[in-house]
Amino acid sequence: MKLELERLPQELKEQKCWICWRLEPKGEGEKPDKVPYNPVNGKKAMSNNPATWGSFQQAVKAMEKFGFSGLGFVFSKVNSYVGVDIDNCRNPETGELTAEAQDIVDKLSSYTEISPSGKGIHIIVKGELPKSGRKNSRTSVEMYESGRYFTMTGNRLPGTPSEVAERTEALQEVHSKYILGQRKKGSKARD
C-alpha cells in the first residue's frame, strides 16, 4: 500500500513518538514480523522506551536512509492518544467494512486509516481507556494507550475525519461492546 505521509494529522507529526519498521521473516510458513527500529541510529527500537523513538522528520529520513518498510507511531503514557486496531475488517478490493468495524468507525468519528495490508483499519483518538482488557480475538479488536505502536500509512479511510478527536466516552462504549462483550465462554480480558 502506498504511503501518504503528508495526509497524517499534523498533531501526530508534532509528537516525538515515531519509529520506523521493517517487515522481517519469522520462520517458515509464518507471517513476517513488523520489527520496530530507532529512527535516530537505525538500531532496534522498543515500544516502551522513549529513548528509542524520534521525531516524524527523523523517521521519514531514516526510512529512506536505511530502507525501512514504513513508519510507526508509538502510544505512550506521556500523551493521551489511544489506538484502536481492527484486523480483517475491510475488503481491499471494494473498501467495504464489516458491520462491526463500521459501527466502531461511526462511534469514534476520529482519524482513521487503512492498515498496510489493506484488510484492516487503525483509528486514533484522544482519551482514556478502561483499566481492563485490551484485545478480543473473537472481534479482532485491540485498543492500546501505551507500550504499542501502529504502522502508519496516511491512507485515510474515505469519509472519516482528518483530525484526531477526543473520544473518552465513545471509547468506553466501544470497549464494553467489542473488548469485554462478545467473548468466548471462559475467556478473560487480556491486559
Side-chain angles (χ1 to χ4, degrees):
M1 173 160 294
K2 181 182 172 217
L3 296 179
E4 298 184 41
L5 302 178
E6 68 284 350
R7 296 184 69 198
L8 289 165
Q10 186 60 37
E11 72 177 276
L12 295 183
K13 291 180 183 180
E14 293 169 1
Q15 305 297 312
K16 196 172 178 186
C17 295
W18 290 91
I19 58 169
C20 295
W21 61 272
R22 180 180 287 138
L23 206 54
E24 296 184 358
K26 212 169 167 178
E28 194 172 322
E30 291 187 61
K31 184 178 167 184
D33 274 340
K34 294 176 185 124
V35 179
Y37 283 89
N38 183 325
V40 177
N41 60 23
K43 296 179 180 179
K44 289 193 176 172
M46 293 180 283
S47 59
N48 60 356
N49 183 355
T52 65
W53 313 339
S55 70
F56 176 77
Q57 292 79 13
Q58 289 171 320
V60 170
K61 286 179 185 172
M63 190 172 72
E64 295 165 5
K65 179 179 178 180
F66 297 108
F68 294 126
S69 304
L71 302 184
F73 181 81
V74 183
F75 296 95
S76 165
K77 292 186 189 258
V78 299
N79 61 43
S80 61
Y81 296 105
V82 174
V84 179
D85 181 15
I86 311 172
D87 291 331
N88 300 311
C89 67
R90 181 180 177 273
N91 181 319
E93 282 83 40
T94 67
E96 185 178 354
L97 297 179
T98 63
E100 294 82 7
Q102 188 64 59
D103 180 51
I104 295 169
V105 167
D106 293 344
K107 278 184 174 55
L108 295 179
S109 188
S110 188
Y111 176 76
T112 302
E113 66 173 36
I114 301 165
S115 68
S117 71
K119 297 177 184 177
I121 59 172
H122 297 152
I123 306 167
I124 299 178
V125 300
K126 289 182 233 173
E128 191 176 321
L129 275 178
K131 299 295 179 211
S132 66
R134 296 293 172 256
K135 181 177 183 176
N136 183 329
S137 54
R138 185 169 178 204
T139 62
S140 297
V141 176
E142 300 176 37
M143 297 179 161
Y144 301 105
E145 60 188 358
S146 66
R148 297 289 179 134
Y149 77 94
F150 276 2
T151 55
M152 301 295 286
T153 64
N155 191 343
R156 188 163 50 96
L157 186 70
T160 61
S162 60
E163 300 299 323
V164 178
E166 201 294 321
R167 294 287 185 251
T168 297
E169 193 174 305
L171 272 172
Q172 306 289 325
E173 185 180 338
V174 170
H175 183 273
S176 178
K177 185 173 183 179
Y178 293 100
I179 298 292
L180 299 181
Q182 301 185 28
R183 292 192 169 279
K184 292 178 182 175
K185 288 185 179 179
S187 70
K188 294 181 180 175
R190 179 179 156 200
D191 290 328

